[in-house]
Amino acid sequence: MEASSSTSHDPALFHAPLLHHPRRRSSRPLKGFAVIFGSVVFLLSLVILIVNQSPEPLASNPSSVTEAGSYSMAAQPRGIAEGVSAKSNPSLFDKVGFNWTNAMFYWQRTAYHFQPQKNWMNDPDGPLYHKGWYHLFYQYNPDSAIWGNITWGHAVSKDLIHWFYLPLAMVPDQWYDINGCWTGSATLLPDGRIVMLYTGSTNESVQVQNLAYPANLSDPLLLQWLKYPGNPVVVPPTGIEDNEFRDPTTAWLGPDGSWRITVGTRFNTTIGTALVFQTTNFSDYQLLDGVLHAVPGTGMWECVDFYPVAINGSVGLDTTALGPGIKHVLKASLDDTKVDHYAIGTYDMITDKWTPDNPEEDVGIGLKVDYGRYYASKTFFDQSKQRRILYGWVNETDTEADDLEKGWASIQTIPRSVLYDNKTGTHLLQWPVEEVESLRLNATVFKDVVVEAGSVVPLDIGTATQLDILAEFEIETLVSNSTEDEVSDCGDGAVDRNTYGPFGVLVIADDSLSELTPIYFRPLNISDGSLETYFCADETRSSKAPNVTKRVYGGKVPVLDDENYNMRVLVDHSVVESFGEGGRTVITSRVYPTEAIYGAARLFLFNNASRVNVKATLKIWEMNSAFIRPFPFEETLFQEMVAST
């Protein structure tokens, strides 16, 4: 639903001591008052709970909880022993808990991001478009809100925003995947067939690659999947560790008529590597000589993605696209750091080797797909709209005990379109798919708002829990010959002042600014007299709860001479997705406020620069909720809809 009208405001200005701290390298929010505030929040939340009639938390695995307020944990993060990424936050285990209420837990559930109806979710799997429906498969634990018993969940959508849960697509029931049906990718063949390759953890915890395919291609919902009787189709090659060989990519067709896939691994424990396998029938594979690419010091590569982008194009490309005017993106999820890195380069289709354009920005040592809480991303080519779509997993940053209490864990980002940034020639551009704009309701416009140095401006939009924000900033005056000591990167967060910043918006904040999450630009003077800009998100004061991860995230973002500073921010309860400069730098944040929830959530502008004012123009939409629910098989209308596709 589009906005029916827009209004403009000229908000009043006030100064905020919270953003006026002197620069300190150890600046962090105080947590000593959490217990005091906890009792107050508890009483207030009881009132909210009565008003909102929040449902009880969904049932979780009773065997994981020993008694109220206590739980047992492994000595290492869950998943490591099974040979897969860490799926928990061990650094938080010894921290004091927080007296969460049902109302707080209920507020944390998102309104328009895909997440499971209940229980645990991680990596996106095999996204594809088939007979009018977008399909998303995902790593899922049907039994609990913590990682384990990994199966493939399945959901479909007509528009990538409103989703229907479907029955499980694949379960671990064979010797070659009995310890988990792990991450995989779909390939759409020219004759209309669909093949799905996925990693299985065998009865001996060996990671192998398996083949599956739909039982009925005429079914638009692809409800039934068959596993190839001859699985596994690829086993770890000689010299590769049995538990470090996973996550096959979408296949692409080479000039010799055979298909190729890549699988992530490592050599000598430290060299991240993408192997290439060749096949003509998807059941028999040959390991090609050499590797697609490898980078020393980056560790295990998982969830590798490899796809083409057009240098001068405005549409996405099928994974098989080759030829002039095309670059190739190589992306890897680094198991050691839990960060997705990418690089742009050139693929030699004869030697099956990929070379980065800039070796100093190679995979794992340069650009990140997302600079925040984000991992295991995967793209697919949407043939219906000629675009490449990116999904990413966003995990929780609270404790496993909290997840068990609320009965669910993890979300997927809003699907993003991906294009080559031909203005810089060095970056990708990620942008929320256009369909999310269908959720926009009433819009509010703020024009040319002057935000003085060291001040905060409230934006009168009412409740600010579900928003789509477009904001543009202009520095009013440049200060010549600034000698102020300026520390590179995002510093210690929004309190870390310099000549030109930070400036931006405060989301999920309460009126008193006791809880807030700044999304901001931080321009810095560099030696040649120009500005180098960082795009950042500061979670350090996002919650009074002590047992959640709260970090400062961000990275460098190119701002060209003919550009102002611009950002887009999607706010959806406990997740904030921020896109700097058209999506050159992207940050996903998880926040768990205790007071800035429901009607108390507010939005502000801020400028903590020490010497310059900024002028801001914004357009802000309240966002509707998406319909995400089980597929209504019993409803005739939907049966007819499926039949018509």
Side-chain angles (χ1 to χ4, degrees):
M1 286 175 279
E2 294 292 340
S4 58
S5 63
S6 298
T7 56
S8 297
H9 295 267
D10 183 16
L13 185 79
F14 71 89
H15 291 276
L18 274 175
L19 294 176
H20 243 296
H21 297 306
R23 171 123 122 241
R24 297 180 291 168
R25 298 312 304 159
S26 60
S27 176
R28 287 291 184 269
L30 294 175
K31 301 178 181 176
F33 295 105
V35 176
I36 299 173
F37 279 108
S39 60
V40 177
V41 172
F42 178 75
L43 292 174
L44 291 174
S45 297
L46 283 178
V47 177
I48 295 172
L49 183 59
I50 294 172
V51 173
N52 288 277
Q53 291 293 300
S54 302
E56 291 297 315
L58 294 165
S60 56
N61 186 352
S63 64
S64 301
V65 182
T66 56
E67 59 181 270
S70 68
Y71 55 99
S72 59
M73 291 293 181
Q76 59 184 345
R78 192 178 303 276
I80 290 291
E82 291 83 359
V84 73
S85 291
K87 307 296 183 185
S88 55
N89 294 309
S91 62
L92 300 176
F93 292 169
D94 58 352
K95 293 191 177 182
V96 177
F98 187 79
N99 188 24
W100 297 104
T101 66
N102 280 357
M104 293 176 187
F105 279 149
Y106 189 65
W107 182 89
Q108 291 173 13
R109 192 168 178 89
T110 61
Y112 60 90
H113 282 70
F114 180 82
Q115 64 181 108
Q117 191 174 8
K118 61 180 181 178
N119 296 331
W120 168 272
M121 174 179 67
N122 57 285
D123 308 6
D125 293 316
L128 59 90
Y129 180 83
H130 177 68
K131 292 186 177 296
W133 292 91
Y134 292 100
H135 291 255
L136 174 63
F137 305 88
Y138 50 92
Q139 302 280 274
Y140 182 62
N141 183 352
D143 300 324
S144 177
I146 57 178
W147 184 88
N149 188 29
I150 294 301
T151 69
W152 275 34
H154 187 190
V156 291
S157 173
K158 285 287 187 178
D159 60 3
L160 295 168
I161 302 299
H162 304 286
W163 291 92
F164 292 112
Y165 302 114
L166 292 178
L168 299 177
M170 284 192 287
V171 299
D173 59 3
Q174 302 296 320
W175 71 266
Y176 50 78
D177 63 12
I178 195 64
N179 281 314
C181 297
W182 291 353
T183 303
S185 303
T187 300
L188 277 59
L189 303 183
D191 61 6
R193 288 180 297 160
I194 300 171
V195 294
M196 193 76 75
L197 292 170
Y198 72 97
T199 296
S201 182
T202 73
N203 55 349
E204 296 182 346
S205 296
V206 177
Q207 294 171 13
V208 298
Q209 315 315 317
N210 300 314
L211 172 64
Y213 40 84
N216 180 8
L217 273 175
S218 65
D219 174 14
L221 298 182
L222 299 176
L223 290 174
Q224 293 183 311
W225 288 80
L226 302 175
K227 297 176 183 178
Y228 175 59
N231 279 335
V233 294
V234 184
V235 299
T238 302
I240 297 298
E241 299 166 81
D242 286 350
N243 65 347
E244 301 291 357
F245 178 64
R246 54 187 177 267
D247 311 333
T249 65
T250 296
W252 69 94
L253 190 61
D256 58 359
S258 64
W259 295 86
R260 281 115 165 114
I261 63 166
T262 65
V263 180
T265 187
R266 69 181 185 184
F267 287 128
N268 298 328
T269 73
T270 63
I271 305 174
T273 305
L275 302 176
V276 182
F277 293 84
Q278 179 176 292
T279 183
T280 56
N281 56 13
F282 287 91
S283 58
D284 300 292
Y285 291 81
Q286 175 188 359
L287 174 64
L288 298 184
D289 292 336
V291 299
L292 179 67
H293 194 59
V295 180
T298 57
M300 172 64 192
W301 283 8
E302 56 182 1
C303 300
V304 172
D305 204 1
F306 186 63
Y307 58 90
V309 288
I311 295 176
N312 294 308
S314 58
V315 297
L317 298 177
D318 181 87
T319 307
T320 289
L322 299 169
I326 292 176
K327 295 280 189 180
H328 273 75
V329 176
L330 179 60
K331 167 260 162 182
S333 299
L334 271 58
D335 194 18
D336 290 348
T337 61
K338 306 303 176 289
V339 173
D340 279 17
H341 283 266
Y342 78 91
I344 301 170
T346 301
Y347 169 57
D348 186 328
M349 66 187 76
I350 304 301
T351 63
D352 288 300
K353 302 292 186 293
W354 176 90
T355 305
D357 288 347
N358 180 3
E360 294 183 0
E361 295 273 328
D362 207 343
V363 179
I365 60 176
L367 299 173
K368 299 177 182 179
V369 177
D370 188 299
Y371 286 77
R373 178 63 63 159
Y374 180 92
Y375 197 62
S377 61
K378 183 175 294 295
T379 67
F380 78 102
F381 178 64
D382 173 12
Q383 70 271 30
S384 70
K385 292 193 174 182
Q386 300 296 299
R387 58 185 175 175
R388 182 156 291 273
I389 302 296
L390 170 71
Y391 288 97
W393 167 50
V394 187
N395 70 342
E396 307 297 317
T397 65
D398 56 5
T399 66
E400 286 191 344
D402 293 338
D403 296 342
L404 287 166
E405 184 70 18
K406 65 191 178 188
W408 58 270
S410 302
I411 63 173
Q412 300 287 335
T413 58
I414 292 298
R416 304 169 183 173
S417 62
V418 179
L419 290 172
Y420 177 80
D421 181 10
N422 53 29
K423 291 185 71 174
T424 64
T426 57
H427 286 63
L428 294 177
L429 296 175
Q430 301 175 52
W431 201 246
V433 292
E434 60 185 357
E435 288 89 340
V436 75
E437 297 170 16
S438 67
L439 298 177
R440 288 173 172 174
L441 299 173
N442 53 297
T444 307
V445 175
F446 299 89
K447 294 183 178 179
D448 297 331
V449 180
V450 176
V451 190
E452 296 178 357
S455 68
V456 171
V457 176
L459 298 174
D460 183 15
I461 61 168
T463 301
T465 289
Q466 296 171 211
L467 301 176
D468 186 352
I469 304 165
L470 289 175
E472 186 172 274
F473 301 88
E474 183 179 357
I475 297 175
E476 284 202 315
T477 58
L478 292 177
V479 177
S480 60
N481 300 321
S482 172
T483 59
E484 184 173 347
D485 178 31
E486 296 186 341
V487 179
S488 185
D489 68 42
C490 293
D492 276 340
V495 299
D496 202 347
R497 310 182 70 186
N498 61 56
T499 302
Y500 296 104
F503 57 83
V505 296
L506 305 177
V507 301
I508 308 296
D510 63 338
D511 281 324
S512 66
L513 299 182
S514 66
E515 290 181 329
L516 49 83
T517 301
I519 310 298
Y520 59 93
F521 291 103
R522 191 169 189 259
L524 301 170
N525 278 306
I526 57 177
S527 57
D528 65 1
S530 62
L531 293 180
E532 179 179 85
T533 301
Y534 288 81
F535 184 55
C536 312
D538 179 0
E539 301 172 355
T540 57
R541 285 175 289 166
S542 62
S543 174
K544 292 181 179 179
N547 58 339
V548 298
T549 300
K550 289 171 279 190
R551 296 177 179 169
V552 178
Y553 290 106
K556 192 182 302 182
V557 60
V559 182
L560 306 185
D561 291 341
D562 62 344
E563 297 174 340
N564 286 329
Y565 301 90
N566 68 80
M567 67 171 71
R568 183 177 182 183
V569 183
L570 296 177
V571 178
D572 187 7
H573 294 255
S574 63
V575 61
V576 180
E577 293 189 67
S578 306
F579 303 80
E581 296 302 305
R584 288 177 189 144
T585 300
V586 184
I587 309 168
T588 299
S589 307
R590 291 307 301 272
V591 296
Y592 305 86
T594 63
E595 297 191 5
I597 59 177
Y598 295 104
R602 297 284 184 266
L603 178 68
F604 299 83
L605 285 168
F606 83 98
N607 176 17
N608 208 27
S610 61
R611 300 177 64 180
V612 300
N613 298 337
V614 297
K615 186 164 57 177
T617 295
L618 304 93
K619 189 169 186 179
I620 304 161
W621 290 268
E622 179 186 356
M623 294 292 276
N624 203 349
S625 298
F627 295 102
I628 304 176
R629 61 191 181 95
F631 194 92
F633 288 103
E634 71 284 356
E635 296 180 19
T636 304
L637 175 63
F638 284 93
Q639 293 174 357
E640 293 175 352
M641 180 191 305
V642 172
S644 68
T645 59

